[in-house]
């Protein structure tokens, strides 16, 4: 099993209050590069900060890394439109950062990017791949694509309180700017991505399509965003077996909605629970309270861990939090206060 | 231990008869991308061919990969000036392909590239790194830099008969085109690279310098080219401990010369022997006859293998040759005949 991480950006993330994938909007561009470095090296290397939410809750990349330290598997990161440099090695598919979906075109090269990703996916020598993503603002672009496809599926959020009305408003503006109606892209999913999607969607959908062609087992690791990609694949006529692996935090937030969506797009659904409620650990408590929820293949990585090994994953996660220094400002910090980004680059 | 592979190109490789790192000059640009893919995935993925010499002898990347299949270690590939796309994930340091050293400047951005590589090397979280290279034409640029530094050290070759006089002639032309005398860059090693070197040298020297600053153990994996990089580091005033790990094939070719060079640049020298003479295998025989000799960190990777595990490495190497189909046209082929490059992309 190879874990593939598509890391990219969309300017949609800069809409105020829409994403928690970064301590501040200015730092959001560093979240995907930092996530990739954390996964590859165990800590940020070139990235100036450890990716954390505005309330100081650490990126799910730390959970995926903890799994990797317990159960080794190869990781391959794809540059799916990065806007800041990373020290993580990345596969280049000539992806560009995505524009704000309220611009006329969010991903001008969606077709070409999908095709290059498809070719890469089809050439992989693996029996099975698990594909994750890191892109701040990705649930809003997921809502955009689902809406353009005419699919009535809700979306989750990395914030404890989902700013759903704001996302709907951004998507409405995005469709209007692109001159398309909800549902108009039913038979043209790449046009939906081009209009109101993001480059990670084109990349993940392409890799998955290519891998399925080559007979490789494909797991889409993530929640809402991966269901949107499953929708893109089904609307594109891709019929191979797909599994969506997500966390119990997404499932708790979305309830039966996520099962219905998985059924609708003919996906197996795997829900994994890291058992963070078994520990009194400040960051684990935050996850249990519904912060962050999923990302960077967290649910898919956890699905590789037998229940007996989950305690080891929690131990590694706690050790990674210590190493990154991300808990020190969580203790007693007000959720509203922006953490000091310099803290997380200590010791490097 | 992390294995870092710097993969790049120099147009110097296109001088007729100077390099064996590719079946034909046209295919040479695909050798570094293919080497990286072989190391990462176990076979070429995006690269159109398996890297082989004009006589059909397979790249040393296959040996390094065989070691990796026996003793797992993380691999990080750096784009040190690739001229063709690769499916291998690469760290981007904004390196450009090197020009022909007979042009005025071979690596116009040598200083900047060294600095970016140094910063990357200094930020690595590892205790020890082994740095290898893949760049067709690299022994000629090594001779260029050594000459510009005023060091009288011979160089090896990937060809059974080293076209030494031709290399010297190219280097003479290169120095003349750059307007510098042999030895003139004694105190300015990056100027030597800029004039008559290649981007892989600037990258490897930079990573090594940064890693040494950060207290990381550094092994330069390779023969002649790594000794040239050691010379660059010493001429730059870098004094930390350096090990050069190379193969018995380079040592057999260079004799005491290589020990003297290692002494001169204050390097520990490790010579590793994969024991290919213990098997009657067509490609192993070719290596024993002095073809290819070293590259893609082969000697450094082998230095990680206890003697008892070498038989397993030979088994894996034979299996990789089978998988790549590289032996089928070696059997009974005339060394002079160019192999059919399509053979090596079978089954993909």
């Amino acid at each position: 099993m190879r874990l593939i991480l598509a890391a990219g950006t969309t300017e949609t993330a800069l809409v105020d209050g829409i994403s928690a994938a970064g301590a501040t909007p200015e730092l959001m561009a560093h979240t995907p590069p930092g996530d990739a470095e954390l996964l590859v090296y165990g800590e940020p290397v070139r990235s100036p900060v450890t990716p954390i939410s505005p309330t100081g809750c650490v990126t799910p990349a730390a959970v995926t890394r903890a799994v990797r330290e317990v159960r080794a598997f190869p990781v391959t990161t794809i540059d799916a439109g990065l806007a800041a440099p990373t020290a993580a090695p990345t596969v280049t598919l000539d992806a560009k950062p995505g524009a704000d979906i309220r611009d006329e075109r969010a991903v001008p090269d969606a077709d070409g990017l999908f095709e290059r990703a498809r070719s890469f996916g089809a050439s992989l020598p693996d029996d099975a791949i698990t594909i994750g993503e890191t892109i701040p603002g990705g649930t809003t672009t997921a809502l955009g694509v689902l809406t353009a496809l005419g699919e009535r599926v809700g979306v989750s959020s990395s914030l404890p309180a989902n700013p759903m009305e704001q996302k709907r408003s951004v998507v409405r503006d995005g469709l209007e700017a692109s001159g398309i109606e909800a549902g108009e892209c039913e038979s043209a999913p790449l046009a939906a991505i081009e209009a109101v999607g993001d480059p990670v969607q084109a990349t993940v959908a392409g890799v998955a399509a290519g891998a399925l062609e080559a007979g490789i087992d494909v797991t889409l690791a993530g929640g809402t965003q991966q269901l949107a990609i499953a929708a893109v694949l089904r609307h594109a006529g891709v019929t191979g077996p797909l599994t969506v692996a997500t966390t119990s935090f997404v499932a708790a937030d979305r309830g039966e909605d996520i099962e219905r969506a998985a059924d609708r797009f003919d996906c197996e659904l795997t829900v994994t629970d890291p058992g963070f409620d078994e520990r009194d650990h400040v960051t684990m408590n935050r996850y249990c309270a519904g912060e962050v929820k999923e990302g960077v293949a967290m649910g898919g990585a956890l699905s590789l861990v037998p229940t007996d090994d989950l305690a080891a994953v929690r131990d590694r996660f706690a050790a990674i939090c210590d190493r990154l220094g991300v808990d020190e400002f969580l203790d007693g910090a007000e959720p509203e206060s922006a953490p000091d980004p310099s803290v997380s680059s200590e010791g490097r």
Side-chain angles (χ1 to χ4, degrees), chain A:
Chain A
M1 198 293 298
R2 178 181 307 278
L3 181 69
I4 294 179
L5 177 66
T9 49
T10 163
E11 289 184 7
T12 313
L14 299 177
V15 178
D16 199 30
I18 221 164
S19 173
T24 67
E26 295 69 38
L27 291 176
M28 211 118 62
H30 294 293
T31 292
D35 279 344
E37 292 175 6
L38 191 44
L39 200 50
V40 169
Y41 300 107
E43 61 184 65
V45 171
R46 199 170 180 179
S47 178
V49 287
T50 297
I52 50 175
S53 74
T55 60
C57 194
V58 75
T59 172
V63 182
T64 307
R65 171 70 195 192
V67 174
R68 206 180 164 213
E69 292 182 7
V70 172
R71 294 184 70 81
F73 46 78
V75 166
T76 301
T77 301
I78 304 178
D79 181 342
L82 292 173
T86 181
T90 55
V91 175
T92 301
L93 298 174
D94 296 323
K96 302 283 179 300
D100 190 321
I101 62 171
R102 296 169 304 178
D103 292 349
E104 192 181 340
R105 298 202 297 173
V107 189
D109 184 33
D111 278 318
L113 179 53
F114 175 88
E115 197 44 51
R116 294 189 294 278
R118 197 199 55 73
S119 167
F120 171 72
S123 66
L124 286 167
D126 307 294
D127 297 327
I129 57 173
T130 295
I131 321 180
E133 50 65 37
T134 167
I135 177 165
T139 57
T140 303
T141 48
L143 182 65
V145 164
L146 287 164
T147 307
L149 295 175
E151 296 289 353
R152 294 180 171 277
V153 173
V155 299
S156 193
S157 174
S158 52
L159 291 156
N162 192 349
M164 200 59 209
E165 200 33 62
Q166 195 183 6
K167 290 182 186 177
R168 286 205 191 92
S169 161
V170 169
V171 166
R172 271 194 303 270
D173 291 350
L175 290 169
E176 194 180 317
S178 305
I180 59 173
E181 303 281 333
E184 194 179 320
C185 295
E186 189 185 346
S187 313
L190 290 172
I193 293 176
E194 183 179 326
V196 289
D198 68 51
V200 162
Q201 294 165 343
T203 303
V204 174
V207 172
L212 287 173
E213 274 171 39
I216 299 167
D217 282 348
V218 174
T219 297
L220 301 172
T224 300
Q225 291 163 257
Q226 295 291 11
L227 284 167
I229 288 162
V232 164
L233 288 165
R234 296 319 187 198
H235 280 258
V238 173
T239 55
L242 285 172
T243 298
V244 170
T246 193
T247 63
S248 51
F249 308 115
V250 170
D253 181 50
R254 300 277 308 278
E256 288 176 13
D257 186 34
I258 198 161
E259 289 172 35
R260 275 195 299 270
D263 272 354
R264 167 120 186 98
F265 306 130
D266 193 19
C267 295
E268 289 285 320
L269 182 67
T270 303
V271 175
T272 57
D273 180 351
F276 282 176
D277 56 344
E278 295 182 23
R279 289 275 283 267
D280 186 22
H281 180 275
V282 57
T283 303
M284 296 188 208
N285 293 345
R286 290 291 184 93
Y287 271 83
C288 292
E291 292 188 45
V292 182
K293 296 189 185 72
E294 167 65 286
V296 199
M298 176 180 168
L302 285 166
S303 74
L304 305 170
V305 182
T307 308
D308 286 354
D309 289 348
L310 282 174
V313 169
R314 292 190 291 271
D315 287 346
R316 295 306 314 156
F317 178 66
I320 290 168
C321 288
D322 281 352
R323 191 165 78 219
L324 298 176
V326 289
D327 286 347
E328 39 191 276
F329 53 82
L330 259 186
D331 293 311
E334 292 299 306
E336 286 73 27
S337 69
D340 176 0
S342 68
V343 172
S344 57
S345 57
E346 268 186 14
R348 293 185 28 242

